């Protein structure tokens, strides 16, 4: 864990050491020389850490040294972030005159002390430099000096296990439980004619899933089926494994089909082309890891001469190549055995089965570890972070990305903004999803879950940097608590101070995260000792993430303002009525989540001081819209509202939404009958806002021809962005017909549509054109006759 984190963290430290604001602090405090020494020491060890991130380090002493270096890297970053926060002090931005006096004010602690800030900073540098130099001197002991690799030769090596290539098509069907339904479906897919692409006579049948779930076993069952044997003229099975060697794979295919060998690659492809000509073949490519479209094209080039109906079964734990080939693997993951099937196996059979045979010292499947080692260093770190979440935890994609961002895991060695970081985080999330580290939740398409074995793997690789208190995690939360940097705990009905008493000494802690198992029932109450908030949290000055959601908390103390490194604060579904003014001193705060704080009526007076605030969730609060308009001045802020209730006689409030340039998520606009000018609706500029769910509500009232036209113009002006919208609800709309955008096929991701209470409408919009529509609710449209536009919903279930 340490080596991979360091290899991605050090470039960020270099960037921070080079930052102009940081140099200003260092120069004014006479620390330039010390900084240069620190940079030199970091350079001398960076290459070795990069190599270490590419290796499987097994020597305990080497692991511990790498861990020590990782802890030091955390400390360096904490110090640099503290100095960067100093540089944000307004007095540093004054004119140079009198700077000495201003610096003297800055470096004096707020409390009464005989030590200046400069003295403290020099002591911090001395401690860091001494520790780093000690580790640099011992770098030969890390076992990395003899690698002999140059920087330009760097590249993540493959973790090769030759035994994986010995997987064959041989199977004992009597030993297999619980795959009959999947087997039957695949057999039918192989036997029935399909619409192959016009430029080829074969089609691909993917079997996707995480390591150890039974993909190869399922392929064997299908391959061994007599109906399948009789259906195809030629058959071949090749275990591809982590090295996509086109020559080897082609050679094994030809040997299986023709029982011949050809040593020249060109002759081999010619022979393969001639051999499959006019014949229907079945080819199984087991355990593909490659994502290269070019390699795939080279491999299948000779197969175009085959007879239509030929099939290629691919088993893989990664779906990137399939997407490049035009296949959409969404929701086609091979799932684990059902509980009944799993319980039908005897324990001895479980122990002896192929899937569970290769366990390492932590009881984690070797197959899963191979998936982990195939990740890049940043992805390994993000996956390890998921160890903070208990089994059966439901992941919200956007919230996890915001947590990663707050921890600094999405920073790159080149300057970027929060929007770029969030885009990168989403990309990383999709990568973990495509590799089966995360899966879609079974009963909620908007949430995700991690398989229990993946959770065990994450806990195993998290090392001594992450700790989870949930009764299941193997680590003793009391052991090594001084070293932990990230901590989570599962909510209980009563969370007492005693549970965290030892963490008063864990001053390096960055994460204090409350989590839950599964969905939290709305009726449940959780109580957190006030002593934790008032006494413990102020003792953790390096906290970046603080989540106290779903607790019966009524007040946040002023002491929260001492957490100057805080980037993420989640107080959702608490009973707070206001936030203390000291919150406005959290100059690093990026994300503030107040969703469901139904008693919250106001924000601090100096809220606009939060210049770095990028994400604000105030859904289901009592904050007045007029009050929120001021927040629109924070131009980089993405805000999530739940409801806009139009109350004025003219309905001009809707136009004020133009100030929320980054409005996103879900929103309901109620009282649209009050909008007296369609220009107000256009000015809201919904087409430029990233809304995933939009509800538009009118109230019943008197109708005339003018109001009918106005309502259509208003609805037309509220056209949302088609690239984001997933759900659309229209209620009590009073127009005779819908504007053209309702049902437009350009809304590629629109899955759920509800139209109700539109009594005067004479026709339904062409909803059958929506390519992703899954759920449609129509009610209270008294004057409508259902036409072809409704029946055209081919994808509708």
């Amino acid at each position: 864990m340490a080596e991979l984190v360091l290899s991605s963290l050090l470039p960020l430290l270099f960037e921070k050491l080079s930052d102009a604001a940081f140099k200003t602090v260092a120069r004014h405090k006479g620390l330039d020389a010390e900084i240069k020494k620190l940079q030199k020491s970091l350079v001398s060890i960076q290459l070795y850490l990069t190599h270490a991130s590419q290796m499987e380090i097994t020597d305990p002493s080497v692991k511990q040294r790498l861990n020590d270096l990782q802890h030091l890297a955390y400390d360096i970053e904490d110090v640099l972030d503290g100095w960067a926060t100093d540089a944000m002090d307004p007095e540093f931005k004054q004119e140079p005159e009198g700077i000495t006096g201003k610096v003297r004010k800055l470096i004096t602690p707020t409390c009464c002390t005989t030590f200046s800030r400069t003295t403290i900073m020099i002591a911090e540098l001395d401690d860091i430099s001494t520790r780093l130099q000690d580790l640099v001197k011992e770098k030969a002991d890390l076992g990395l000096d003899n690698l002999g690799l140059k920087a330009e030769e760097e590249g993540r090596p493959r973790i090769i296990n030759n035994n994986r290539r010995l997987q064959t098509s041989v199977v004992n069907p009597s030993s297999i439980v619980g795959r009959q339904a999947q087997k039957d479906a695949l057999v039918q897919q192989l036997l029935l004619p399909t619409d192959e692409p016009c430029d080829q006579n074969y089609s691909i049948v993917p079997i996707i899933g995480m390591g150890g779930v039974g993909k190869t076993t399922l392929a064997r069952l299908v391959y061994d089926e007599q109906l399948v044997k009789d259906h195809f003229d030629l058959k071949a099975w090749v275990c591809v494994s982590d090295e996509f060697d086109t020559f080897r794979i082609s050679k094994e295919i030809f040997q299986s089909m023709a029982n011949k060998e050809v040593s020249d690659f060109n002759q081999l492809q010619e022979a393969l082309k001639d051999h499959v000509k006019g014949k229907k073949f079945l080819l199984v490519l087991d355990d593909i890891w490659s994502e290269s479209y070019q390699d795939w094209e080279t491999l299948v080039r000779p197969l175009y001469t085959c007879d239509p109906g030929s099939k290629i079964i691919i088993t893989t734990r990664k779906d990137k190549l399939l997407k490049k080939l035009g296949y959409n693997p969404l929701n086609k993951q091979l799932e684990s055995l059902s509980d009944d099937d799993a319980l039908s196996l005897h324990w001895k059979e479980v122990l002896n089965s192929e899937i569970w045979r290769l366990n390492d010292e932590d009881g984690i499947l070797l197959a899963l570890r191979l998936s982990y080692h195939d990740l890049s260093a940043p992805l390994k770190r993000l996956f390890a972070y998921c160890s903070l979440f208990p089994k059966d935890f439901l992941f919200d994609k956007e919230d996890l990305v915001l947590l990663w961002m707050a921890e600094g895991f999405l920073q790159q060695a080149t300057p970027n903004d929060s929007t770029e970081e969030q885009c990168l985080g989403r990309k990383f999330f999709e990568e973990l999803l495509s590799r089966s580290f995360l899966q879609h939740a079974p009963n909620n398409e908007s949430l995700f879950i991690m398989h229990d074995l993946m959770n065990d793997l994450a806990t195993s690789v998290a090392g001594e940097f992450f700790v989870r208190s949930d009764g299941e995690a193997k680590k003793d939360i009391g052991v090594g608590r001084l070293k932990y940097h990230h901590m989570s705990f599962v909510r209980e009905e009563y969370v007492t101070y005693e549970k965290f008493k030892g963490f008063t000494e864990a001053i390096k802690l960055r994460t204090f995260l409350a989590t839950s198992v599964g969905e939290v029932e709305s009726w449940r109450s959780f109580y957190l000792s006030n002593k934790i908030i008032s006494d413990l949290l102020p003792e953790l000055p390096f906290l970046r993430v603080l989540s106290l959601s779903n607790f019966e908390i009524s007040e946040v103390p002023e002491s929260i303002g001492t957490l100057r490194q805080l980037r993420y604060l989640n107080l959702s579904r608490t009973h707070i009525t206001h936030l203390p003014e000291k919150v406005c001193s959290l100059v690093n705060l990026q994300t503030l989540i107040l969703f469901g704080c139904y008693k919250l009526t106001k924000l601090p007076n100096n809220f606009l001081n939060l210049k770095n605030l990028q994400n604000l969730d105030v859904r289901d609060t009592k904050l007045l819209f007029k009050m929120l308009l001021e927040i629109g001045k924070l131009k980089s802020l993405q805000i999530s509202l739940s409801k806009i209730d139009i109350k004025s006689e003219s309905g001009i409030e809707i136009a004020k939404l133009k100030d929320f340039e980054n409005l996103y998520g879900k929103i309901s606009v109620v009282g649209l009958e009050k909008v007296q000018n369609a220009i107000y609706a256009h000015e809201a500029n919904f087409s430029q806002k990233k809304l995933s769910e939009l509800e538009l509500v009118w109230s019943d009232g008197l109708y005339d021809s003018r109001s009918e036209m106005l309502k259509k113009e208003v609805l037309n002006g509220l056209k949302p962005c088609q690239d984001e919208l997933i759900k659309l609800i229209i209620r009590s709309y009073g127009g005779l017909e819908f504007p053209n955008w309702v049902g437009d096929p350009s809304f590629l991701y629109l899955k759920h549509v509800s139209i109700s209470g539109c009594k005067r409408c004479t026709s339904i919009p062409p909803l059958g054109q929506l390519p992703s529509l899954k759920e449609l609710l129509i009610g209270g449209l008294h004057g409508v006759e259902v036409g072809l536009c409704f029946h055209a919903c081919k994808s509708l279930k």
Side-chain angles (χ1 to χ4, degrees), residues 199-434:
D199 61 340
Q200 61 194 34
N201 290 329
Y202 61 83
S203 60
I204 295 172
V205 179
I207 303 177
I208 317 162
M210 71 177 201
V213 78
K215 302 181 296 295
T216 300
T217 300
L218 180 58
R220 286 174 180 150
L221 288 172
V222 173
Y223 193 80
D224 192 55
E225 176 66 33
Q226 190 61 47
L227 286 173
V228 173
K229 291 179 181 179
D230 295 339
H231 183 74
F232 293 98
D233 304 313
L234 300 172
K235 290 174 61 185
W237 176 292
V238 179
C239 184
V240 178
S241 194
D242 48 2
E243 183 179 8
F244 198 96
D245 184 337
T246 306
F247 183 39
R248 176 187 69 83
I249 299 168
S250 300
K251 191 174 180 180
E252 292 186 21
I253 293 173
F254 187 64
Q255 283 178 329
S256 295
M257 290 183 175
N259 199 23
K260 297 178 183 177
E261 285 194 31
V262 179
S263 57
D264 177 77
F265 184 60
N266 184 66
Q267 293 178 4
L268 175 60
Q269 289 223 320
E270 290 284 350
L272 188 55
K273 181 187 71 172
D274 292 339
H275 192 73
V276 301
K277 186 175 182 180
K279 298 174 183 175
K280 190 183 299 180
F281 72 78
L282 172 63
L283 171 62
V284 176
L285 297 176
D286 183 38
D287 198 25
I288 287 185
W289 290 64
S290 173
E291 299 170 0
S292 170
Y293 181 79
Q294 183 177 356
D295 288 347
W296 173 264
E297 282 290 289
T298 303
L299 176 68
V300 300
R301 195 176 296 143
L303 303 179
Y304 73 95
T305 61
C306 68
D307 197 47
S310 296
K311 309 287 184 181
I312 302 178
I313 295 177
I314 290 178
T315 74
T316 181
R317 59 188 75 184
K318 301 160 67 174
D319 65 13
K320 274 198 172 181
L321 177 60
L322 289 168
K323 288 180 178 177
K324 291 177 182 177
L325 296 177
Y327 290 81
N328 183 9
L330 185 63
N331 294 327
K332 291 185 178 179
Q333 295 266 340
L334 182 62
E335 298 178 351
S336 305
L337 293 176
S338 68
D339 291 343
D340 289 340
D341 287 331
L343 289 172
S344 71
L345 295 172
H346 298 308
W347 185 239
K348 182 178 179 181
E349 291 174 331
V350 173
L351 290 177
N352 291 334
S353 71
E354 174 193 345
I355 296 177
W356 308 97
R357 183 166 52 86
L358 298 173
N359 289 5
D360 63 14
E361 68 277 6
D362 296 318
I364 308 300
L365 295 179
L366 178 59
L368 298 186
R369 280 200 172 271
L370 290 169
S371 293
Y372 169 76
H373 285 301
D374 191 57
L375 295 176
S376 64
L379 278 173
K380 286 179 179 176
R381 192 181 192 191
L382 298 180
F383 175 64
Y385 189 82
C386 293
S387 67
L388 293 177
F389 304 102
K391 292 178 179 178
D392 297 325
F393 180 82
L394 295 174
F395 290 88
D396 178 88
K397 175 181 176 179
E398 294 302 319
D399 193 43
L400 183 58
V401 168
L402 293 177
L403 286 169
W404 286 342
M405 184 173 75
E407 302 286 6
F409 295 168
L410 302 179
Q411 292 179 345
Q412 300 293 289
T414 55
N416 56 7
D417 59 28
S418 64
T419 304
E420 291 177 348
E421 285 189 19
Q422 289 183 58
C423 288
L424 180 63
R426 295 184 189 110
K427 179 181 176 182
F428 282 148
F429 186 97
E430 291 298 328
E431 180 79 4
L432 290 174
L433 182 65
S434 72

Side-chain angles (χ1 to χ4, degrees), residues 1-12 46 49-55 70 154-157 371-385 404 408-412 424 428 431-432 435 461 466:
M1 175 64 195
E3 67 276 7
L4 66 93
V5 175
L6 279 165
S7 64
S8 57
L9 176 59
L10 283 180
L12 304 180
Q46 183 182 25
L49 291 170
T50 302
H51 296 324
S53 72
Q54 301 164 357
M55 301 171 63
Q70 168 63 70
E154 291 173 11
R156 203 157 26 95
S371 293
Y372 169 76
H373 285 301
D374 191 57
L375 295 176
S376 64
L379 278 173
K380 286 179 179 176
R381 192 181 192 191
L382 298 180
F383 175 64
Y385 189 82
W404 286 342
F409 295 168
L410 302 179
Q411 292 179 345
Q412 300 293 289
L424 180 63
F428 282 148
E431 180 79 4
L432 290 174
R435 291 167 175 258
V461 301
F466 301 84

Side-chain angles (χ1 to χ4, degrees), residues 463-482:
E464 57 185 48
F465 306 97
F466 301 84
V467 64
R468 180 178 85 237
S469 173
D470 64 354
E472 264 222 36
K474 297 177 182 178
K475 298 176 186 175
D476 182 351
I477 199 170
V479 176
R481 56 179 172 264
L482 296 180

